[in-house]
Amino acid sequence: MFTNVIKVQSSSMFSCHPVTEKIQNFLDTSQQLEGVVCAFCQHSTVGMIVNEMEERLILDLGKWLEEMAPIAQGYKHDDLHLRENIPADEPKNAHSHLRALLLGNHVSVPFKDGKLQLGKYQDIIMVELDGPKERSIVISIQ
Amino acid sequence: MFTNVIKVQSSSMFSCHPVTEKIQNFLDTSQQLEGVVCAFCQHSTVGMIVNEMEERLILDLGKWLEEMAPIAQGYKHDDLHLRENIPADEPKNAHSHLRALLLGNHVSVPFKDGKLQLGKYQDIIMVELDGPKERSIVISIQ
Amino acid sequence: MFTNVIKVQSSSMFSCHPVTEKIQNFLDTSQQLEGVVCAFCQHSTVGMIVNEMEERLILDLGKWLEEMAPIAQGYKHDDLHLRENIPADEPKNAHSHLRALLLGNHVSVPFKDGKLQLGKYQDIIMVELDGPKERSIVISIQ
């Protein structure tokens, strides 16, 4: 009743998906008026952030993440032949893990009078870092 | 009753403002004994962190953020003439957004016996990244 | 009853310690079925993350953190002779603080039916950044 899972289908290797409306909708259904919502992504190569959903800023974010944790830098996690018990389709995605650690994989947002207390220029955004994939976000209302 | 907004006037482009005492005061008023406090900043160019409020470390933090996301790197978000519906006083602040994403814009801190369970060298600190401005932090007690 | 402290003895300067099982055990004891667990580390030179506990990825993480915030870069926090009231054994650890800020020092994880709602490749991991030391993590069930 207070926990739900939403699915987001990402569209490319890097893409940003605002989920504010989906979370507000679940909050409306819960009929809770005051508390905190936790949105937790169940994947280790996805980020969850609160920031401005401005298209040119999203381009800057993609470029910046590539600078902060570039793809294919001889990461040990990407030596698939040296790892055991991995799926046949295991991707080389160490950079995606590092980018996810930089952003964090969950956010907590207070609500009051049944409304998320986001600022004027804030959205809750899922940041795909190893897509395209279908992703699961657990929403918990406290 | 369990949600409050505190205002912080920042003093410069980059500045750190401990808010531990304000949050503990609100916690005292609430008379709650055990739970978690969420402090959520309603701006996309401000960080919220838990760390040591040591003046020389703050200088290191400012320098490090400038290295991690330097000002004026030809960010697309800073091409104001290519964006629509922006206020007349819109700043060029893509670097501030990226720095805020690096730090995060909210923290959750457990409390017990009515006291925030911070370590000896920990403060809750608002990190202004695009000041000086008046900023709003939503405090929610769960 | 809903707040507990777990201790983790780290093994080296940089080391990763999964604490999922300890947190699930405390959750079992609490007999709560649905909510959010907050795991908050009471130190300013330790990270708390949710990610994949894969040994080669951990090596990548250590190397990446050294690139992002290298040791001994002339940090002002490390000029111990210019700081007042510091313990005799104060370490030069500005880099550890910056790395901790990059990762964050606490996580929030939803649970349902008494089980942490982590993904298949997710663990709750304490990341020691200035060890070896004994560290305290406050666990709060909401």
Side-chain angles (χ1 to χ4, degrees):
Chain A
M1 190 166 128
F2 297 117
T3 308
N4 197 11
V5 176
I6 62 175
K7 302 281 184 179
V8 177
Q9 175 65 49
S10 65
S11 49
S12 56
M13 212 273 264
F14 167 77
S15 52
C16 287
H17 304 264
V19 291
T20 311
E21 199 178 331
K22 286 185 180 184
I23 295 174
Q24 181 63 56
N25 287 347
F26 178 53
L27 190 54
D28 293 346
T29 307
S30 79
Q31 299 187 295
Q32 298 302 299
L33 295 181
E34 194 168 354
V36 170
V37 175
C38 179
F40 179 94
C41 193
Q42 292 182 302
H43 309 276
S44 294
T45 53
V46 175
M48 287 291 298
I49 62 173
V50 175
N51 214 278
E52 186 179 356
M53 192 65 204
E54 194 275 309
E55 61 179 321
R56 298 181 67 83
L57 181 61
I58 300 307
L59 296 173
D60 292 327
L61 175 59
K63 182 163 177 253
W64 181 65
L65 290 171
E66 171 59 26
E67 289 164 7
M68 298 291 274
I71 198 170
Q73 289 291 290
Y75 300 112
K76 291 183 187 300
H77 185 65
D78 291 349
D79 292 331
L80 302 182
H81 63 290
L82 296 177
R83 290 168 55 196
E84 290 175 18
N85 301 319
I86 58 173
D89 61 347
E90 177 73 11
K92 295 187 178 188
N93 62 1
H95 62 287
S96 311
H97 285 275
L98 299 176
R99 296 175 190 186
L101 289 173
L102 195 152
L103 297 178
N105 82 318
H106 59 286
V107 298
S108 296
V109 182
F111 62 95
K112 193 176 179 179
D113 302 327
K115 298 293 165 201
L116 291 167
Q117 296 297 292
L118 294 163
K120 184 176 174 184
Y121 296 106
Q122 288 184 324
D123 258 302
I124 305 172
I125 303 168
M126 188 194 92
V127 186
E128 173 62 74
L129 300 165
D130 190 30
K133 282 196 179 70
E134 191 191 56
R135 302 300 200 166
S136 301
I137 305 170
V138 181
I139 312 298
S140 179
I141 297 174
Q142 308 160 59
Chain B
M1 192 165 126
F2 298 115
T3 308
N4 198 12
V5 177
I6 62 175
K7 302 281 185 179
V8 177
Q9 175 65 49
S10 64
S11 49
S12 55
M13 211 274 264
F14 168 76
S15 53
C16 286
H17 303 263
V19 291
T20 311
E21 199 178 330
K22 286 186 180 184
I23 294 173
Q24 181 63 57
N25 287 347
F26 177 53
L27 190 54
D28 293 346
T29 307
S30 78
Q31 298 188 296
Q32 298 303 298
L33 295 181
E34 193 168 355
V36 171
V37 175
C38 179
F40 179 94
C41 193
Q42 293 182 301
H43 309 277
S44 295
T45 54
V46 175
M48 288 291 297
I49 62 173
V50 175
N51 214 276
E52 185 179 358
M53 192 66 204
E54 194 276 310
E55 61 179 319
R56 298 181 66 83
L57 181 61
I58 301 306
L59 296 174
D60 292 327
L61 175 58
K63 182 163 177 253
W64 182 65
L65 290 171
E66 170 58 28
E67 290 164 6
M68 298 291 275
I71 198 170
Q73 288 292 289
Y75 299 112
K76 292 183 187 300
H77 184 63
D78 290 349
D79 292 331
L80 303 182
H81 63 289
L82 296 178
R83 289 168 54 195
E84 290 174 22
N85 301 320
I86 58 174
D89 61 347
E90 177 72 11
K92 294 186 179 187
N93 63 2
H95 63 288
S96 310
H97 285 276
L98 298 176
R99 294 174 190 185
L101 288 173
L102 195 151
L103 297 177
N105 83 318
H106 59 287
V107 298
S108 296
V109 183
F111 62 97
K112 193 174 178 180
D113 302 326
K115 298 294 165 199
L116 291 166
Q117 297 297 292
L118 293 163
K120 185 176 175 185
Y121 297 105
Q122 287 184 323
D123 259 301
I124 305 172
I125 303 169
M126 188 194 93
V127 185
E128 173 62 75
L129 300 165
D130 190 30
K133 284 196 177 72
E134 191 189 57
R135 301 300 199 167
S136 300
I137 304 170
V138 180
I139 312 299
S140 178
I141 297 174
Q142 308 159 59
Chain C
M1 192 167 126
F2 297 116
T3 308
N4 197 11
V5 177
I6 62 175
K7 303 280 184 179
V8 177
Q9 175 65 49
S10 64
S11 49
S12 56
M13 212 274 263
F14 168 78
S15 53
C16 287
H17 303 264
V19 291
T20 311
E21 198 178 331
K22 286 185 181 186
I23 294 172
Q24 181 63 56
N25 287 346
F26 178 52
L27 190 54
D28 292 346
T29 307
S30 79
Q31 299 187 296
Q32 299 303 299
L33 295 182
E34 193 168 356
V36 171
V37 174
C38 178
F40 179 94
C41 192
Q42 293 182 301
H43 309 277
S44 294
T45 54
V46 174
M48 287 290 298
I49 62 173
V50 175
N51 214 278
E52 186 179 357
M53 192 66 204
E54 194 276 310
E55 63 179 321
R56 298 180 67 84
L57 181 61
I58 301 306
L59 297 173
D60 292 326
L61 175 58
K63 182 164 177 251
W64 182 65
L65 290 171
E66 171 59 26
E67 290 165 5
M68 298 291 275
I71 198 168
Q73 289 291 291
Y75 299 113
K76 293 183 186 299
H77 184 65
D78 291 348
D79 292 331
L80 302 182
H81 62 289
L82 297 177
R83 289 169 53 193
E84 291 174 20
N85 301 319
I86 58 173
D89 61 347
E90 177 72 11
K92 296 187 178 187
N93 62 1
H95 62 288
S96 310
H97 285 275
L98 298 176
R99 294 174 191 187
L101 288 173
L102 195 152
L103 297 178
N105 83 318
H106 59 286
V107 298
S108 295
V109 182
F111 61 95
K112 192 174 179 181
D113 302 326
K115 297 295 165 198
L116 292 167
Q117 296 297 292
L118 294 163
K120 185 176 174 185
Y121 296 105
Q122 288 185 322
D123 259 301
I124 304 173
I125 303 169
M126 188 194 93
V127 185
E128 174 62 75
L129 300 165
D130 190 30
K133 284 195 177 72
E134 193 191 55
R135 303 299 201 167
S136 301
I137 304 170
V138 181
I139 312 298
S140 179
I141 297 173
Q142 308 159 58

